[in-house]
Amino acid sequence: MIKNSLPLLLFAGFLAACSSSKPAPEVAAVQRVSATAPSAFTPHLEAVRQQFAPDKRVALFKVSANGSALVGETNMPAAKTALLDRLKAAGISYQDSIQVLPEAALEGKTQAVVTLSVANLRSEPGHPAELATQATLGTPLKVWKYQRGWYLVQTPDHYLAWVDGSGIKTMDAPTFAQWQQGEKLLYTNPYGFAYAQPDQKGATVSDLVYGDVMVLKKQGKGFYEVEFPDGRTAFVAWGEAEKYAQWAATRQPTEQNLVETSKKLLGLPYLWGGTSFKGVDCSGFTKTVYFMNGLVLPRDASQQVHVGEPVDTKDGFQNMKPGDLLFFGTPAKDGKPERVVHVGMWIGNNEFIHSAGRVRISSMDPAAPNFDEPERKRFLRAKRVPPQATLLDLRTAALYQ
């Protein structure tokens, strides 16, 4: 009996793991505190939360009422102002103890740059906490607060998470501006190393993955000399990197390029929270594919589903084009909202590529040997994602400059 039920349990566990609805930092604590808020404050707190922070993964509004005192924190001054204005208009007395981040204890060091090949960002400040997302070397981060060796940071796609202080270099505004002004080199191999000397047989300074960004100091024979955000210097082989400005200018998110890029990740292991060549979850995979072609998608599947243009699939998949995103999950029913838990990318010939156990190609055709019946049954809809103002376009955005 146990043996027969084990595969089903494992499959159910995988489906849950692929759900890209990761909790924002301290969400559980917010919900517990808010539940005890006095009734007079509750509608105003909820109204402001819905206006400014409907998605707790990208906006912080952790405010509650303790008696007549408003306590908690937010990283949006406008949200605090809106709340106080509502309470004044309603004639509700309050004591303001809301902290607006970034916290003063940071002493102006409210910027940071990732110093590891891949930094793991977690849902809470501690290594046992859930892996929420990742950020590659050179990624600029906004810093909001510090707690026991960990920093609450926000990525360029606005995702909030905690990072171990040993994986970043915090900077004040002048230091960060100086770092940004340096000419950048982007690592373009799936995986490799930076060396202490211009010799690939010598000691290493760091491992590297596609998307890592360093400051280019000078170009020597066969190697680039680079500088890391924390001041370390190293050497990277010519054929494994490209000047960032040249790389960005040549990005073309065409159907062919998206498909070719996606197949370079085939076999990569599934990693909950992964967004790098060290492992990807379902939305981390599509995010990486689009990043390699110059566009920055939102982090999770339930966020990616809100970008782009709908593709008509009510009569089949004949309108699909390579590069379109397919979303899977549970449709809205009996008053319960739709739940998007998985995403893949169409590559043509009734096939899509996705991270499920590993990055693999599946088919929507029941006659195909790689037909994925479970995914076909929970298919929700498809979106086409052309370059648009709502997405960060690396060809025009000064992300590393």
Side-chain angles (χ1 to χ4, degrees):
M1 187 66 177
I2 295 177
K3 286 185 178 179
N4 291 336
S5 65
L6 183 56
L8 180 60
L9 290 173
L10 291 175
F11 180 69
F14 169 74
L15 293 184
C18 202
S19 169
S20 294
S21 300
K22 305 177 185 67
E26 301 177 332
V27 168
V30 178
Q31 294 172 338
R32 287 194 300 271
V33 174
S34 297
T36 63
S39 58
F41 289 96
T42 299
H44 301 286
L45 288 167
E46 289 305 314
V48 173
R49 185 174 290 111
Q50 287 301 317
Q51 179 183 356
F52 289 91
D55 187 342
K56 297 183 177 74
R57 292 167 292 185
V58 296
L60 178 62
F61 185 77
K62 194 184 75 167
V63 178
S64 60
N66 183 7
S68 63
L70 293 170
V71 297
E73 60 193 10
T74 180
N75 63 344
M76 299 169 291
K80 175 179 177 178
T81 300
L83 175 61
L84 301 187
D85 287 346
R86 286 180 64 97
L87 296 177
K88 291 175 183 176
I92 299 175
S93 300
Y94 62 85
Q95 177 185 342
D96 176 17
S97 296
I98 301 172
Q99 181 183 22
V100 177
L101 302 178
E103 62 182 6
L106 294 172
E107 298 181 340
K109 292 186 176 182
T110 59
Q111 302 286 343
V113 182
V114 175
T115 59
L116 303 175
S117 64
V118 178
N120 292 324
L121 277 60
R122 301 191 177 275
S123 59
E124 296 180 14
H127 287 292
E130 175 193 44
L131 180 62
T133 190
Q134 293 178 319
T136 49
L137 175 68
T139 300
L141 304 170
K142 178 67 178 176
V143 181
W144 294 113
K145 62 183 295 186
Y146 174 83
Q147 183 175 321
R148 303 189 309 273
W150 291 73
Y151 291 88
L152 178 62
V153 297
Q154 195 161 25
T155 61
D157 57 0
H158 308 299
Y159 214 79
L160 287 162
W162 292 87
V163 63
D164 186 338
S166 63
I168 61 173
K169 174 67 175 179
T170 58
M171 303 177 180
D172 57 21
T175 305
F176 179 71
Q178 183 178 3
W179 167 261
Q180 289 291 80
Q181 290 170 6
E183 183 180 10
K184 301 301 191 304
L185 187 77
L186 182 132
Y187 194 73
T188 54
N189 259 18
Y191 190 79
F193 296 93
Y195 298 90
Q197 300 294 331
D199 180 3
Q200 290 180 303
K201 295 181 180 180
T204 62
V205 173
S206 175
D207 68 324
L208 298 172
V209 300
Y210 192 110
D212 284 347
V213 172
M214 301 148 279
V215 164
L216 175 59
K217 295 187 66 177
K218 62 182 179 181
Q219 185 172 340
K221 186 177 180 180
F223 286 86
Y224 298 104
E225 185 176 358
V226 299
E227 182 179 352
F228 283 40
D230 54 9
R232 288 177 294 166
T233 58
F235 294 85
V236 177
W238 278 359
E240 299 179 4
E242 187 175 347
K243 292 181 179 180
Y244 176 78
Q246 297 175 359
W247 175 87
T250 57
R251 297 304 90 193
Q252 294 293 332
T254 62
E255 296 176 14
Q256 179 180 351
N257 287 345
L258 288 168
V259 172
E260 290 180 354
T261 299
S262 70
K263 291 183 178 180
K264 292 179 181 178
L265 279 69
L266 278 170
L268 216 63
Y270 180 93
L271 175 64
W272 173 266
T275 61
S276 74
F277 269 85
K278 292 187 177 182
V280 289
D281 60 19
C282 58
S283 54
F285 166 70
T286 51
K287 183 175 178 64
T288 299
V289 170
Y290 270 79
F291 171 86
M292 293 170 69
N293 287 278
L295 296 180
V296 179
L297 293 178
R299 173 62 188 93
D300 292 342
S302 56
Q303 297 169 315
Q304 293 177 8
V305 74
H306 296 299
V307 302
E309 305 162 354
V311 179
D312 185 1
T313 57
K314 65 179 182 297
D315 296 322
F317 299 97
Q318 64 274 10
N319 296 321
M320 297 285 289
K321 293 183 179 180
D324 290 348
L325 299 181
L326 299 87
F327 296 92
F328 307 83
T330 306
K333 186 178 181 181
D334 299 330
K336 296 181 180 179
E338 176 185 78
R339 185 165 179 256
V340 176
V341 300
H342 189 59
V343 61
M345 194 188 84
W346 194 253
I347 61 174
N349 193 35
N350 281 321
E351 291 183 322
F352 64 100
I353 185 169
H354 59 141
S355 180
R358 66 177 186 276
V359 176
R360 64 175 71 214
I361 295 174
S362 297
S363 177
M364 288 294 197
D365 183 359
N370 59 338
F371 174 54
D372 196 327
E373 184 176 8
E375 297 298 1
R376 179 66 184 89
K377 287 182 176 179
R378 65 175 187 162
F379 171 73
L380 294 172
R381 60 184 184 275
K383 302 292 285 288
R384 186 162 298 147
V385 189
Q388 52 190 285
T390 57
L391 290 182
L392 183 62
D393 191 329
L394 298 177
R395 296 169 296 181
T396 56
L399 180 60
Y400 299 102
Q401 302 168 330

